[in-house]
Amino acid sequence: MSDKNINTTITKQTFIDLGMWLTHPEQHTAEQLKTLLDEDARLPLIKIINTYWLGGAFYHSLNINNVWQKLDEELQLYLTELEQFYVERNQGIKEEAIFACNLLQSANIPVVILKGGASLFNGVFNPISQRFMTDIDLLVPEELQDKANSILLAAGYAQQIEEHDHASVGHHHAPALFRENGKCCVELHRWVLKKSVSDVLSTEDVWQQATPLQLNDSLSVLQMEPNQQMVLSIAHSEISHNGFADKHIDWRQLLNAYAIAQYYEPQLNWLSINEHFARCNKTAPMQALLIAAYKYFKFNTAITLINDQQANAQIDECINLYVKRQSSANKYGHLVAVLKGYSKETIELNYGNKGSFPLLTGRFKHFKRHLYMLTTPKYLKRFLSKVK
């Protein structure tokens, strides 16, 4: 490494380069290639790739293109190591999914494997190293959720709830379950999306239109049909996780939507997808994601409004905010996120809305929880690590 000052600041150009390298590496310019080959100049790109767990996808895109041969040995070895990590991790997650689904099926409990879990088996991500996952989401009938939870607990799973944590009253999934030596957590969902956005995609419709998914030679479960996979991908990142409201692009989820679109393109009915969002006045979040896919992945659809000023302004602001927040002010980001936890919607979701003065009572419980966390060493250490 040279002694010169190294600039690791992520710029607007970093995101342009990111989108190109992930989806159209053959279209790089001489300047983009020069940046990639410079050990110091590429650090912002590597930084954003690691932030969003895109190492496997980045490796695959470059490896199948002749640009791979131009990379220096250090970068090749680094990306190859990341690729191997993702392969091994996702293979373990596949085994965990098979283990959990087999337990539930043996008890005659229907299962729809959601989101990334399904993509490890259905071909959306091939190789599977392109998709980083944190858990397995399994939809089971609401009336059988307690039974399903008990079956997994009896098989060695345990709830991942630490002291002073709690299970949300109105959450769309049960507390995460983990077993000793397991590869990841398993979350049992009773609804596909939380109640406040269920108009976008109803759980009943998912069950009615689900299709078979083979996990291995002897085990078959269900998966969402392609159009619903796309709707869930957009709604999950932009609405449920507040990507649109918070003006934040989750590049891992953006790539997920792109992969679904690429894999299922002949089967997708974009007008139907649009209707899911239009019927509850949520087309703005959908258009923002589609504009991001158009700008950075050069992916267009039948419903993408390329000249939509609001959507274009939204994406530009997302990028501008990300670049701006790299200053020292970003240490307050986690504090802002904590304060958002006191909103009426969040309080009712976590503590319910029954009893006398439920909002006041819920906020008091939430305050006591944070007070405890900020005065307990293990929680305080975790909080401080996020605001450094």
Side-chain angles (χ1 to χ4, degrees):
M1 188 74 69
S2 63
D3 293 331
K4 66 181 179 180
N5 292 328
I6 299 173
N7 183 6
T8 60
T9 301
I10 294 168
T11 67
K12 295 179 182 179
Q13 185 61 44
T14 309
F15 290 106
I16 294 172
D17 293 351
L18 173 67
M20 183 273 302
W21 289 124
L22 286 174
T23 59
H24 298 87
E26 73 285 354
Q27 297 181 13
H28 66 267
T29 66
E31 184 60 33
Q32 287 172 316
L33 181 59
K34 179 181 178 182
T35 299
L36 184 63
L37 298 181
D38 187 301
E39 181 183 357
D40 295 337
R42 68 186 176 219
L43 287 178
L45 180 65
I46 299 299
K47 182 179 178 181
I48 199 73
I49 285 169
N50 288 338
T51 297
Y52 290 101
W53 302 93
L54 298 169
F58 187 61
Y59 166 89
H60 177 70
S61 182
L62 296 184
N63 189 254
I64 62 174
N65 188 269
N66 59 17
V67 71
W68 178 262
Q69 305 304 323
K70 301 177 183 178
L71 303 182
D72 55 90
E73 184 179 10
E74 182 180 6
L75 183 56
Q76 286 183 341
L77 289 174
Y78 175 73
L79 294 178
T80 301
E81 186 173 338
L82 280 181
E83 159 76 1
Q84 187 61 34
F85 166 76
Y86 286 125
V87 168
E88 293 177 359
R89 174 178 171 80
N90 282 353
Q91 189 56 51
I93 290 176
K94 288 183 69 173
E95 294 170 3
E96 194 70 34
I98 291 171
F99 180 82
C101 288
N102 190 56
L103 288 171
L104 298 175
Q105 286 242 324
S106 297
N108 296 316
I109 297 177
V111 177
V112 177
I113 186 166
L114 303 173
K115 297 184 290 187
S119 70
L120 296 184
F121 294 93
N122 62 19
V124 168
F125 283 95
N126 185 22
I128 60 174
S129 58
Q130 295 183 81
R131 177 67 150 91
F132 179 81
M133 291 178 51
T134 56
D135 52 35
I136 299 167
D137 299 312
L138 303 178
L139 178 67
V140 298
E142 184 172 2
E143 67 275 13
L144 296 177
Q145 190 181 49
D146 289 342
K147 179 181 177 182
N149 193 67
S150 297
I151 288 170
L152 294 186
L153 290 174
Y157 285 91
Q159 290 187 359
Q160 292 297 286
I161 298 182
E162 298 184 14
E163 183 182 4
H164 222 77
D165 282 344
H166 66 279
S168 300
V169 173
H171 211 288
H172 59 295
H173 64 73
L177 300 173
F178 188 81
R179 64 187 177 111
E180 188 175 358
N181 299 320
K183 301 302 181 180
C184 68
C185 291
V186 175
E187 290 184 350
L188 296 176
H189 287 239
R190 52 178 171 173
W191 311 317
V192 176
L193 289 166
K194 58 185 181 182
K195 282 290 188 180
S196 60
V197 294
S198 61
D199 287 348
V200 176
L201 180 62
S202 77
T203 301
E204 182 181 0
D205 286 346
V206 169
W207 280 111
Q208 290 178 351
Q209 299 178 44
T211 61
L213 177 63
Q214 203 73 28
L215 301 191
N216 60 24
D217 291 341
S218 60
L219 180 62
S220 176
V221 293
L222 296 171
Q223 67 172 332
M224 300 172 66
E225 64 89 21
N227 291 287
Q228 291 179 349
Q229 289 186 41
M230 177 58 71
V231 171
L232 179 58
S233 180
I234 298 173
H236 177 70
S237 66
E238 299 308 301
I239 304 175
S240 288
H241 281 198
N242 298 315
F244 181 80
D246 293 343
K247 292 180 169 48
H248 174 74
I249 300 175
D250 186 332
W251 291 81
R252 183 168 63 97
Q253 296 300 332
L254 180 63
L255 186 64
N256 180 65
Y258 173 79
I260 292 173
Q262 292 291 99
Y263 185 74
Y264 287 117
E265 181 57 33
Q267 303 175 52
L268 294 182
N269 183 335
W270 287 102
L271 293 179
S272 175
I273 292 169
N274 183 75
E275 176 56 29
H276 278 271
F277 295 91
R279 68 193 184 194
C280 49
N281 197 29
K282 297 290 185 181
T283 56
M286 178 199 70
Q287 275 299 327
L289 182 137
L290 293 180
I291 288 296
Y294 176 76
K295 279 190 169 186
Y296 295 101
F297 295 164
K298 299 184 179 180
F299 178 73
N300 199 2
T301 77
I303 60 172
T304 303
L305 303 178
I306 298 173
N307 296 318
D308 186 320
Q309 293 184 355
Q310 180 184 2
N312 278 278
Q314 168 79 11
I315 299 306
D316 288 343
E317 190 169 0
C318 288
I319 299 300
N320 290 337
L321 285 173
Y322 192 101
V323 171
K324 181 180 178 181
R325 286 169 178 168
Q326 291 177 90
S327 65
S328 59
N330 68 356
K331 65 183 180 181
Y332 299 108
H334 185 66
L335 180 60
V336 171
V338 170
L339 294 177
K340 283 186 176 180
Y342 289 86
S343 67
K344 181 175 183 292
E345 178 185 2
T346 303
I347 292 299
E348 289 184 349
L349 174 67
N350 285 301
Y351 302 97
N353 58 3
K354 296 181 180 179
S356 302
F357 307 105
L359 186 59
L360 179 62
T361 302
R363 283 175 172 157
F364 183 65
K365 289 180 180 178
H366 208 55
F367 170 76
K368 286 201 301 181
R369 177 169 178 260
H370 279 134
L371 182 63
Y372 173 86
M373 293 171 71
L374 289 174
T375 55
T376 303
K378 67 175 182 178
Y379 288 105
L380 181 60
K381 182 179 180 181
R382 185 190 308 172
F383 176 82
L384 291 177
S385 69
K386 294 181 178 180
V387 298
K388 285 181 179 179

